[in-house]
Amino acid sequence: MQGFTPNTDFSELHSTMRAIELASNSIQMQISPAASEAIILSLGQSSQPYKTCQFILENSLVATARFQAAAAIREAAIREWGFLNADDKRSLISFCLCYAMQHASSPDSYVQAKVSSVAAQLMKRGWLEVVAAEKETLFYQVNQAILGIHGVDVQFAGIKFLESLVSEFSPSTSSAMGLPREFHEQCRRSLERDYMKTFYQWTQEAASSVTNRIIESDSVVPEVKVCTAALDLMLQILNWDFRSNTSDTKINVFSAGVGQDGDSFRRPECHLVQPGSDWRDVLILSGHVGWLLSLYAALRPKFTYEGYWLDCPIAVSARKLIVQFCSLTGTVFLSDDGKMHERHLLQLLSGILEWVDPPDAVSKAIENGKSDSEMIDGCRAILAIANVTTPCVFDNLLKSMRAIGTLTFLSMWMSEVIKVLITRNTEDGTWSWEARDILLDTWTALLMPINTITVNDLLPSEGIKAAANLFGFIVECELRMASASAFNDEGDSDYLRASISAMDERLSSYALIARASIDVTIPLLTHVFSERVTRLNQGRGIIDLTETMEELYSLMLIIGHVIADEGEGEMPLVPNAIQTQFVVNSVEADKHPVILLSSTIIKFAEQCLNPEMRDSVFSPRLMESIIWFLARWSSTYLMSSDGIGEKILDSGHHYEHSSKKVLLSFFGEHNQGRVILDIIVRISLITLTSYPGEKDLQGLTCYMLLHSLVQQRHICVQLVALNSWHELANAFSTEKTLFLLDISHQRSLAQTLVRSASGVRNSEESSQYVRNLMGHIATYIVEMSSKSNLKNVAQQPDILLSVSCMLERLRGAASASEPRTQKAIYELGFSVMNPILVLLEVYKHESAVVYLLLKFVVDWVDGQITYLEAQETAAVVNFCMRLLQLYSSHNIGKISLSLSSSLLSEAQTDKYKDLRALLQLLSSLCSKDMIDFSSDSIEAQGTNISQVVYFGLHIVTPLISMDLLKYPKLCHDYFSLLSHLLEVYPETFAQLNSEAFNHILGTLDFGLHHQDVDVVSKCLRALQALASYHYKETGNGNIGLGAHAMGLKDSSGEVQEGLLSRFLRSLLQLLFFEDYSSDLISVAADALLPLILCEKGLYQVNDSS
Amino acid sequence: MSDEEHQFESKADAGASKTYPQQAGTIRKNGYIVIKNRPCKVVEVSTSKTGKHGHAKCHFVAIDIFTSKKLEDIVPSSHNCDVPHVNRTDYQLIDISEDGFVSLLTENGNTKDDLKLPTDDSLLTQIKDGFAEGKDLVVSVMSAMGEEQICALKDIGGKN
């Protein structure tokens, strides 16, 4: 293709223009788009196409051609910027700017917008090299335009230019220029310091100058466009991430500008506008806010006119700016005890109230068809205000205008929104949902600090009352929603955990509101709960109780959130409000509202032990909520070891938390704790035995409730002393129904029961406890494996099921290994070692069983290996190797034949999981060399871990196909193990036979060219280890990697390159000629140095050539 | 002849216990189940409730182990399902005959000649190619509910 040369005469310019026009047109009509695109691209890629482009811009009648010309200017100029002389640069910028202004009133405004943005980008490109005076000249023109001297259209174009300029200078929206991040950062800083405020003032003036025309006219005038653009620009400037005045002066240029996404309102850490004290005159003292509010107030009556409506652009922009002003904070206000800030917020609030007050009337209007935007924006504004004030200031704002405080108003407002929400019972996504969520966030913003720092009187008493009223209403509505949805069968997301996590944010906000008025809300909850329970008891057997059951379910979730926090893995503390708000006499502990509430619920839950009650009332879903509640409640209150929490909390102030003491001692070990623990265990046993097939319920019981109980030793001590716990253990061993649990639940249960052995008095007894619990299972496996007709019966479904159950139980027990029970669990595993191999042979086609077998071994070895004595280690290692060999012999060269692609891919997945387990097994064995608690060295028995693991790897590696390495986890595990081995045991590696050796090298080479950075860096580290090893050893006169490093003659007599030179080449190739992540540079360098040192000769030859 | 008779008998015997009842809740992914009187392998299990406060039910998606057809079933999780007795036996492959039958060597040294090759071309070539190359092949034959089919292939001659 012919390039576009700079010095061309008119006819050439003309023909180029024609070519571009044709190409632009044919692209739009989808005629040979590739060719047309190439023509257009070549314009931008040609050298100095500016004249041509300018010619096209000025003369072409085809808008898209003009657009492409502008794009070409941008592309060429950014690329050639370094070569252009100052005059060229200046003239390009001013051409673009003038073009945009002169053609402001032309149609196809997107062309003007493009040219304007090109001007902005070029201006930024030259920003740091151009002297201030030159900028002034350009900005003078812009200012003239914005002032409206050349008419409305030019005024609009001027504002739009500034808008693209500001957006170009903001790091998050800037265009790429191929320059370092620092360049963008310097531009940003310079604009913020020298021009931002001036731009704002110009825009402000422009907007004020057209205000009267807009207000006076009853129809849409051209000035509306200008005003809207001005409002948008002001919003954009206030959205700027102001840095100069914030205390955080050190700026990380790499992270700067990230964030600020549109939904920042939804997050608790709301976006704050902090322009600093320099802006005080413009934003606060100039009466700017007053102007904005009155502009919007004047617009409101016009919404019925032609061309105006509630969501017309100018109204939307004005509201957005008002909301933005609510987030204004920091040193822009005088430090006069917040008076100035309060006045500012008050002024805004008085304007915003018009949109939402009275809430009932407004919501009615919306239901009758009015747009919801004012309501939603009002909610956003109140959230913004809540984010910059304390609850007291917040509450006082409204008091100067009305008889009620802002909190009371907020409470009424939200009640109204919720009322609409439940009466319409609408789907997600309607205005009442959105408003409810924003208002809940508002409460969270107000109450969150109180919740964490324990200051009682932060909330005014009137506010507390408002919170109490609102919470009462919320409970009422949630109950109404619950009973209305009781017969809803739609949606499979009924599962408790799913529904809780979906509701969690909402429930936590409810809990904050409840805790703000805890002395009212707890008795309220007790009352509502008891009332429902009474209703159940009275209606049982007479009426359908589903609605009440659903109400109780919902109440259980709310109460759980109000009185206890989620531990998130740590021990949750009693919520501050509950610790501090109640004044209780320790003698009358049972009158403590929280104790009353807890006891009511536990008493209710206990009723499920009665078979009749269970059948009629305690549905699986209700039980799920009970188990969930008991788990959450018990981790906060039950036998809580209060010592730790108290110290953390009380450091700093000296409150006497009598309420907490009463609570914890009441539910402590020496009081009601044991009784309640007993109830909990008995309820658990019931869910496991009397709710056949209810997997979800049983899963909650095993994973959440029982599992968390045995985490603390002092609770284990109590547990093993309970009869009910022994009943559970007994049922586990003998009861048939427990064999019907999901097998992973059985594993969890085995783990839990074994772990509770830590509560048994001494290690001898705890070993006995484990033997009693698990002994018969081992016996079963041993007997099964020695059956003469095993091959015939093994595949029977009933045998298959019971073998699976037993293996999962063994695995659960193995994973609960602790120093005290280690011996017993070792014996357990030792006794089934041979049977495991027998079963592996018999079930070789039953992938599910194979996996269970492998996983048991993995968990068992992992739990034991560090404790084993030399002889035991030798036995275990020997066993593992036999296992690996057996597995390999079954699977190597095996092909599954099936028509079903999903069955084939399942088979592939099974293989992947097996191999991953085997790699884990090898890693566990590896760890013996790192951590070893045994009394003698394992070398005594002649066990060399490194040889064992290399041997294991040698068995496993052929099973790992390239297809299987596509599973990221397997790939990751494999290379972790490999690089670990090479790093730690290079000497063993050197002794491998050439087949094994070459196989590992092959994989290493594969790994080096892998896409995953992590895998590559693991291989690089392995290389580094090998090369350093060789270098050090040879330096000491040893052979190091010996023949492998030298290069070998293979069987056909050809000389193979030594491994180090081979990898030196391959690494240099990678570094010089291939794409790789910059994260690899340092580790690649680490690997390169020893390689070069080992192969100096080769490196220098390459270097010179 | 007597051999064949005997085989017939043992088949009938297996038929008597060709399925076992098992609680639906205990049947997991990768397990077996009988749906519409066909032995299937389960590829997906999900649970839901019959009404909010009702009992759990299991929804099975399974694949017919012989025809690879997809079948689905919903069963209350405390009820019993039929689970097929799926047996797999390894035989060494001796010959492939022209008429589409294979000749297999049984453990006690007899041959088993009643098993047809798969009709699907890709499976067929996988078996035929390996055999043609002279590899020592072991085939796994899967049998359930009176049907049988070759389900896997393994080259045991690789090591030599």
Side-chain angles (χ1 to χ4, degrees), chain A residues 410-422:
Chain A
L410 183 61
S411 155
M412 285 161 44
W413 184 1
M414 190 161 160
S415 304
E416 185 56 40
V417 170
I418 296 176
K419 204 188 288 169
V420 176
L421 191 69
I422 63 156

PDB file of all heavy atoms in Angstrom, chain A residues 410-422:
ATOM      1  N   LEU A 410     -35.545   9.482  59.570  1.00  0.00           N
ATOM      2  CA  LEU A 410     -34.974   8.346  58.831  1.00  0.00           C
ATOM      3  C   LEU A 410     -35.744   7.068  59.138  1.00  0.00           C
ATOM      4  O   LEU A 410     -36.027   6.259  58.252  1.00  0.00           O
ATOM      5  CB  LEU A 410     -33.496   8.187  59.205  1.00  0.00           C
ATOM      6  CG  LEU A 410     -32.705   7.092  58.495  1.00  0.00           C
ATOM      7  CD1 LEU A 410     -32.667   7.327  57.005  1.00  0.00           C
ATOM      8  CD2 LEU A 410     -31.297   7.004  59.048  1.00  0.00           C
ATOM      9  N   SER A 411     -36.082   6.918  60.417  1.00  0.00           N
ATOM     10  CA  SER A 411     -36.825   5.735  60.825  1.00  0.00           C
ATOM     11  C   SER A 411     -38.206   5.692  60.159  1.00  0.00           C
ATOM     12  O   SER A 411     -38.638   4.649  59.649  1.00  0.00           O
ATOM     13  CB  SER A 411     -36.917   5.727  62.346  1.00  0.00           C
ATOM     14  OG  SER A 411     -38.020   5.009  62.777  1.00  0.00           O
ATOM     15  N   MET A 412     -38.886   6.874  60.123  1.00  0.00           N
ATOM     16  CA  MET A 412     -40.195   6.920  59.464  1.00  0.00           C
ATOM     17  C   MET A 412     -40.072   6.629  57.970  1.00  0.00           C
ATOM     18  O   MET A 412     -40.864   5.892  57.379  1.00  0.00           O
ATOM     19  CB  MET A 412     -40.813   8.308  59.634  1.00  0.00           C
ATOM     20  CG  MET A 412     -41.371   8.586  60.998  1.00  0.00           C
ATOM     21  SD  MET A 412     -41.549  10.369  61.260  1.00  0.00           S
ATOM     22  CE  MET A 412     -42.264  10.919  59.735  1.00  0.00           C
ATOM     23  N   TRP A 413     -39.068   7.262  57.421  1.00  0.00           N
ATOM     24  CA  TRP A 413     -38.818   7.129  55.988  1.00  0.00           C
ATOM     25  C   TRP A 413     -38.617   5.665  55.616  1.00  0.00           C
ATOM     26  O   TRP A 413     -39.219   5.135  54.683  1.00  0.00           O
ATOM     27  CB  TRP A 413     -37.593   7.976  55.675  1.00  0.00           C
ATOM     28  CG  TRP A 413     -37.167   8.084  54.248  1.00  0.00           C
ATOM     29  CD1 TRP A 413     -37.756   7.524  53.156  1.00  0.00           C
ATOM     30  CD2 TRP A 413     -36.046   8.838  53.768  1.00  0.00           C
ATOM     31  NE1 TRP A 413     -37.068   7.866  52.036  1.00  0.00           N
ATOM     32  CE2 TRP A 413     -36.016   8.670  52.371  1.00  0.00           C
ATOM     33  CE3 TRP A 413     -35.068   9.630  54.373  1.00  0.00           C
ATOM     34  CZ2 TRP A 413     -35.038   9.277  51.579  1.00  0.00           C
ATOM     35  CZ3 TRP A 413     -34.111  10.222  53.577  1.00  0.00           C
ATOM     36  CH2 TRP A 413     -34.098  10.051  52.203  1.00  0.00           C
ATOM     37  N   MET A 414     -37.766   5.008  56.401  1.00  0.00           N
ATOM     38  CA  MET A 414     -37.451   3.629  56.067  1.00  0.00           C
ATOM     39  C   MET A 414     -38.651   2.720  56.288  1.00  0.00           C
ATOM     40  O   MET A 414     -38.888   1.794  55.514  1.00  0.00           O
ATOM     41  CB  MET A 414     -36.267   3.166  56.906  1.00  0.00           C
ATOM     42  CG  MET A 414     -35.775   1.857  56.414  1.00  0.00           C
ATOM     43  SD  MET A 414     -34.133   1.532  56.959  1.00  0.00           S
ATOM     44  CE  MET A 414     -34.132  -0.218  56.750  1.00  0.00           C
ATOM     45  N   SER A 415     -39.410   3.010  57.353  1.00  0.00           N
ATOM     46  CA  SER A 415     -40.617   2.211  57.585  1.00  0.00           C
ATOM     47  C   SER A 415     -41.527   2.285  56.367  1.00  0.00           C
ATOM     48  O   SER A 415     -42.110   1.283  55.947  1.00  0.00           O
ATOM     49  CB  SER A 415     -41.384   2.716  58.803  1.00  0.00           C
ATOM     50  OG  SER A 415     -40.536   2.718  59.916  1.00  0.00           O
ATOM     51  N   GLU A 416     -41.632   3.484  55.825  1.00  0.00           N
ATOM     52  CA  GLU A 416     -42.499   3.671  54.667  1.00  0.00           C
ATOM     53  C   GLU A 416     -42.007   2.824  53.484  1.00  0.00           C
ATOM     54  O   GLU A 416     -42.787   2.134  52.824  1.00  0.00           O
ATOM     55  CB  GLU A 416     -42.512   5.168  54.293  1.00  0.00           C
ATOM     56  CG  GLU A 416     -43.458   5.528  53.185  1.00  0.00           C
ATOM     57  CD  GLU A 416     -44.884   5.115  53.484  1.00  0.00           C
ATOM     58  OE1 GLU A 416     -45.309   5.270  54.646  1.00  0.00           O
ATOM     59  OE2 GLU A 416     -45.550   4.613  52.555  1.00  0.00           O
ATOM     60  N   VAL A 417     -40.691   2.880  53.284  1.00  0.00           N
ATOM     61  CA  VAL A 417     -40.113   2.121  52.171  1.00  0.00           C
ATOM     62  C   VAL A 417     -40.368   0.625  52.358  1.00  0.00           C
ATOM     63  O   VAL A 417     -40.772  -0.077  51.428  1.00  0.00           O
ATOM     64  CB  VAL A 417     -38.601   2.404  52.062  1.00  0.00           C
ATOM     65  CG1 VAL A 417     -37.951   1.438  51.088  1.00  0.00           C
ATOM     66  CG2 VAL A 417     -38.354   3.829  51.628  1.00  0.00           C
ATOM     67  N   ILE A 418     -40.171   0.155  53.601  1.00  0.00           N
ATOM     68  CA  ILE A 418     -40.377  -1.276  53.850  1.00  0.00           C
ATOM     69  C   ILE A 418     -41.841  -1.655  53.665  1.00  0.00           C
ATOM     70  O   ILE A 418     -42.167  -2.720  53.142  1.00  0.00           O
ATOM     71  CB  ILE A 418     -39.902  -1.642  55.270  1.00  0.00           C
ATOM     72  CG1 ILE A 418     -38.399  -1.420  55.377  1.00  0.00           C
ATOM     73  CG2 ILE A 418     -40.218  -3.084  55.600  1.00  0.00           C
ATOM     74  CD1 ILE A 418     -37.852  -1.667  56.756  1.00  0.00           C
ATOM     75  N   LYS A 419     -42.697  -0.708  54.075  1.00  0.00           N
ATOM     76  CA  LYS A 419     -44.126  -0.976  53.930  1.00  0.00           C
ATOM     77  C   LYS A 419     -44.455  -1.222  52.456  1.00  0.00           C
ATOM     78  O   LYS A 419     -45.150  -2.171  52.105  1.00  0.00           O
ATOM     79  CB  LYS A 419     -44.922   0.217  54.463  1.00  0.00           C
ATOM     80  CG  LYS A 419     -46.329  -0.173  54.899  1.00  0.00           C
ATOM     81  CD  LYS A 419     -47.162   1.051  55.249  1.00  0.00           C
ATOM     82  CE  LYS A 419     -46.752   1.706  56.551  1.00  0.00           C
ATOM     83  NZ  LYS A 419     -47.407   3.035  56.716  1.00  0.00           N
ATOM     84  N   VAL A 420     -43.936  -0.352  51.601  1.00  0.00           N
ATOM     85  CA  VAL A 420     -44.174  -0.531  50.172  1.00  0.00           C
ATOM     86  C   VAL A 420     -43.587  -1.858  49.708  1.00  0.00           C
ATOM     87  O   VAL A 420     -44.209  -2.605  48.963  1.00  0.00           O
ATOM     88  CB  VAL A 420     -43.543   0.628  49.367  1.00  0.00           C
ATOM     89  CG1 VAL A 420     -43.698   0.383  47.882  1.00  0.00           C
ATOM     90  CG2 VAL A 420     -44.159   1.938  49.773  1.00  0.00           C
ATOM     91  N   LEU A 421     -42.427  -2.128  50.209  1.00  0.00           N
ATOM     92  CA  LEU A 421     -41.722  -3.343  49.790  1.00  0.00           C
ATOM     93  C   LEU A 421     -42.552  -4.579  50.068  1.00  0.00           C
ATOM     94  O   LEU A 421     -42.666  -5.473  49.229  1.00  0.00           O
ATOM     95  CB  LEU A 421     -40.395  -3.426  50.551  1.00  0.00           C
ATOM     96  CG  LEU A 421     -39.408  -4.463  50.093  1.00  0.00           C
ATOM     97  CD1 LEU A 421     -38.859  -4.079  48.739  1.00  0.00           C
ATOM     98  CD2 LEU A 421     -38.275  -4.574  51.088  1.00  0.00           C
ATOM     99  N   ILE A 422     -43.153  -4.638  51.257  1.00  0.00           N
ATOM    100  CA  ILE A 422     -43.865  -5.882  51.566  1.00  0.00           C
ATOM    101  C   ILE A 422     -45.288  -5.879  51.015  1.00  0.00           C
ATOM    102  O   ILE A 422     -45.801  -6.923  50.666  1.00  0.00           O
ATOM    103  CB  ILE A 422     -43.869  -6.231  53.070  1.00  0.00           C
ATOM    104  CG1 ILE A 422     -44.613  -5.157  53.844  1.00  0.00           C
ATOM    105  CG2 ILE A 422     -42.487  -6.431  53.623  1.00  0.00           C
ATOM    106  CD1 ILE A 422     -45.135  -5.717  55.138  1.00  0.00           C
TER     107      ILE A 422
END
